[in-house]
Amino acid sequence: MSWGRPRNDAVDMFNTYPLNQRAQHGHAHDNFAEGVQRTQQPIVTGTSVLAIKYKDGIMMAADTLASYGSLARFKNIQRLHAVGDTTVIGASGDMSDFQYLQGLLDELVTDEFTAGDGNALAPHEVHEYLARVLYARRSKMNPLWNALLVGGVRDGAPFLGYVDLLGTTYQASTLATGYGAHIALPLLRQAVETREDSLPEDEARRILTESMRVLFYRDARSLNKFQIAKVTAAGVDISEPIVLDTHWSFAEGIRGYGAQTQ
Amino acid sequence: MPDGSFSHPQERQFNPYTENGGTILAIAGADFSVVAGDTRQSEGYSIQTRYAPKVFRLTDRAVLAVNGFAADGNMFVKKVKQRLEWYRHAHAKDMPLRAIARLIQTMLYAQRFFPYYVYNILGGIEEDGTGAVYSFDPVGSYEREACRAAGAAQALVQPFLDNQIYFKNQQAPVGSSHPVHLPLQDVLSIVIDSFTSATERHIEVGDGLEIYVIVAKGRSPQGLESIRNVQELSTNPEGDRVFVIRRELKKD
């Protein structure tokens, strides 16, 4: 309680606002508490990640841009990451938080390998692990500022899952984060849903490529350079960066872009 | 300002909560209980997935529906299930329904100052063989009721249940009275109508419907087995039995 403190109209100890500060007894004051910064906003960010199920497993795509606000700061950052031989994760949001998670996962995979029992983490286990880490961090009000897609194949069963900075999780046969959830996801759903088990690889690749093209035209924080990861029974394969050729001649005809004709 | 309201700079803070839409509902019968929920999970105007279960079998006589912030809901169900498993190992039996209800209130209230942003509805069979529904608020206030709707379409569904289950604003025919409990078939029709109607009028409700039916030990499932897409989940046909009925809802 605050007995003996000077009376102050701005601090009404019998009111709920402003919240009355209680005197500290017993607790040593942490001089460094104010020096600890928690992530309150992302700094260097990646934009959308897309993923779909297809005949042989799952496919995931993300461009190679890491933005600093509206500045295209790093143009060759890999946002797809293999976890063991059966899983791949794709990250949007804060890239330093993602790199921290990569370290965490690599350590986890190593620990699992060192056990020497022949067991490896399945995609749904990696997803659960990430969900617990992200939920625990949000519960400490110190979130890892990411939206992640987790995909993989284990024992012939494909898996696709989402997890974000709040610890929210879900699974579906088509997934997208950020801007992609608004622009690309409807295209992916139309192309993939009900055909997950029959969709051939080249068509899956075409669907993702075209969706990445649409995103590049509409998302100002995207790049026409991206990677596609494929996970099948044979393992994880992350492609070299693919560069899309783009055409802007149509802009000439749009009032406000090209030369004004009237 | 003289009152000091601007003396401290305002800081924008990370918001640890979100709403994931959907609706749940439960109705108690004389010797059965029905717990249902849609399977859509959304955030804002985006549908995240068309199948994310909100209703969970806890034991052969208890089913829990959770609605609100999905991450909290999943964590809460996980922890309730863990506590029930510990109880099973300690006492070699399943926890009774009213004990589960009190456990849930204690677990919710333990988080009073950083609440699970979740509305819980627990349905099942009491030890005396009667159907029961318990409903909770996010910090643990709870009561036993005959029916309850919660979630995005609560305001649409609860008045309908008040009318159809409690017979509010209905006059019984002269010389007769309203029934105290409805038969299972009538309850199932009311549940299905509730969700098809909520799907029509609420954008966060739809995609799929999961209806759990818990039938008291030794009682007739009242023709439940002949319904299409019904699946029995209970392990012992001699005890209380749990069934789930899966149906489609409109996806637009």
Side-chain angles (χ1 to χ4, degrees):
Chain A
M1 295 300 284
S2 335
W3 305 124
R5 288 165 119 206
R7 194 182 156 80
N8 183 345
D9 285 343
V11 185
D12 181 356
M13 53 188 280
F14 298 106
N15 208 341
T16 51
Y17 183 84
L19 283 180
N20 183 32
Q21 195 74 46
R22 249 183 286 172
Q24 303 248 335
H25 291 298
H27 298 276
H29 182 66
D30 183 357
N31 288 308
F32 294 99
E34 283 176 10
V36 176
Q37 261 211 0
R38 296 176 165 188
T39 307
Q40 299 299 340
Q41 55 170 326
I43 306 296
V44 176
T45 60
T47 184
S48 324
V49 185
L50 310 179
I52 57 173
K53 283 184 185 172
Y54 73 106
K55 185 160 66 78
D56 308 322
I58 68 103
M59 234 183 237
M60 198 181 283
D63 70 21
T64 59
L65 178 66
S67 306
Y68 182 78
S70 56
L71 173 70
R73 181 66 181 81
F74 304 106
K75 295 170 76 154
N76 196 25
I77 293 287
Q78 188 171 123
R79 299 196 288 124
L80 301 173
H81 176 71
V83 184
D85 301 325
T86 57
T87 310
V88 70
I89 66 169
S92 55
D94 194 280
M95 287 296 104
S96 60
D97 284 349
F98 173 52
Q99 286 170 3
Y100 165 74
L101 283 171
Q102 283 178 300
L104 223 54
L105 287 168
D106 287 349
E107 198 178 321
L108 190 71
V109 168
T110 307
D111 282 354
E112 201 67 28
F113 174 78
T114 343
D117 57 4
N119 182 250
L121 289 172
H124 74 272
E125 293 168 327
V126 174
H127 179 253
E128 180 73 23
Y129 175 81
L130 287 169
R132 297 291 62 101
V133 171
L134 268 66
Y135 182 81
R137 286 290 295 263
R138 87 96 216 187
S139 300
K140 292 174 185 159
M141 293 296 279
N142 186 197
L144 293 168
W145 215 285
N146 297 108
L148 305 165
L149 299 189
V150 182
V153 183
R154 178 68 173 269
D155 302 330
F159 174 91
L160 266 189
Y162 167 100
V163 55
D164 68 13
L165 74 167
L166 293 175
T168 305
T169 57
Y170 52 89
Q171 292 157 45
S173 58
T174 54
L175 289 176
T177 69
Y179 220 73
H182 295 108
I183 287 189
L185 195 55
L187 304 170
L188 297 179
R189 283 178 178 164
Q190 191 157 44
V192 173
E193 268 176 18
T194 72
R195 305 211 296 142
E196 294 90 349
D197 301 329
S198 58
L199 200 64
E201 179 182 333
D202 55 342
E203 199 180 339
R205 201 172 284 277
R206 189 189 58 76
I207 291 165
L208 281 181
T209 306
E210 288 313 300
S211 299
M212 290 306 284
R213 186 193 303 281
V214 171
L215 276 174
F216 176 62
Y217 278 123
R218 282 295 173 184
D219 178 1
R221 275 94 184 101
S222 68
L223 199 63
N224 63 334
K225 187 175 166 188
F226 63 94
Q227 287 172 289
I228 291 183
K230 161 181 98 163
V231 189
T232 60
V236 180
D237 174 64
I238 301 177
S239 77
E240 286 302 305
I242 300 160
V243 180
L244 284 178
D245 53 327
T246 52
H247 302 276
W248 297 94
S249 54
F250 68 89
E252 287 294 321
I254 299 176
R255 198 181 143 79
Y257 280 94
Q260 302 303 305
T261 53
Q262 47 158 340
Chain B
M1 295 290 282
D3 64 14
S5 55
F6 292 119
S7 59
H8 301 288
Q10 283 284 307
E11 193 179 311
R12 251 196 58 220
Q13 247 215 316
F14 165 66
N15 178 193
Y17 294 113
T18 188
E19 276 267 19
N20 296 107
T23 276
I24 52 172
L25 119 77
I27 299 171
D31 55 4
F32 66 87
S33 191
V34 177
V35 186
D38 70 327
T39 63
R40 174 176 293 180
Q41 188 177 112
S42 58
E43 191 173 15
Y45 289 132
S46 299
I47 296 173
Q48 295 182 317
T49 177
R50 300 191 190 279
Y51 185 71
K54 281 192 276 290
V55 191
F56 302 90
R57 188 192 79 97
L58 296 178
T59 66
D60 274 353
R61 65 162 90 92
V63 170
L64 181 62
V66 290
N67 193 240
F69 173 32
D72 271 354
N74 290 331
M75 181 49 102
F76 187 71
V77 169
K78 206 182 177 79
K79 292 202 165 186
V80 170
K81 281 183 171 175
Q82 184 180 47
R83 293 290 293 265
L84 293 178
E85 187 180 332
W86 288 348
Y87 183 97
R88 215 150 35 230
H89 291 319
H91 301 105
K93 64 165 190 165
D94 281 334
M95 191 184 281
L97 191 72
R98 65 188 200 95
I100 298 176
R102 178 58 70 89
L103 172 73
I104 288 173
Q105 104 84 209
T106 313
M107 290 176 68
L108 288 170
Y109 195 78
Q111 290 284 7
R112 175 61 180 78
F113 298 109
F114 187 17
Y116 288 113
Y117 192 12
V118 170
Y119 288 88
N120 282 282
I121 300 178
L122 176 70
I125 306 295
E126 293 282 21
E127 282 176 306
D128 64 4
T130 58
V133 164
Y134 291 90
S135 70
F136 303 78
D137 82 350
V139 291
S141 309
Y142 78 113
E143 63 176 332
R144 186 178 166 180
E145 295 176 294
C147 73
R148 169 63 69 183
Q154 183 193 36
L156 279 67
V157 176
Q158 189 67 51
F160 176 64
L161 296 183
D162 289 343
N163 181 248
Q164 293 294 308
I165 306 292
Y166 292 123
F167 298 104
K168 292 282 167 65
N169 301 98
Q170 278 194 266
Q171 206 94 56
V174 181
S176 67
S177 60
H178 292 305
V180 180
H181 289 293
L182 295 174
L184 180 58
Q185 290 301 332
D186 293 23
V187 169
L188 288 178
S189 300
I190 290 169
V191 169
I192 290 165
D193 286 349
S194 297
F195 277 95
T196 45
S197 306
T199 301
E200 286 293 331
R201 285 291 184 170
H202 201 112
I203 57 169
E204 293 172 5
V205 181
D207 290 334
L209 172 59
E210 285 188 327
I211 309 170
Y212 281 71
V213 183
I214 312 101
V215 181
K217 177 179 169 179
R219 302 305 175 92
S220 155
Q222 303 182 36
L224 191 65
E225 281 118 327
S226 60
I227 295 178
R228 107 196 125 79
N229 290 332
V230 66
Q231 183 194 348
E232 179 159 3
L233 301 175
S234 41
T235 44
N236 174 20
E238 303 300 309
D240 301 312
R241 300 169 76 183
V242 183
F243 300 84
V244 60
I245 304 162
R246 294 198 172 82
R247 294 182 118 252
E248 294 290 303
L249 288 173
K250 285 172 74 175
K251 295 175 197 308
D252 55 4

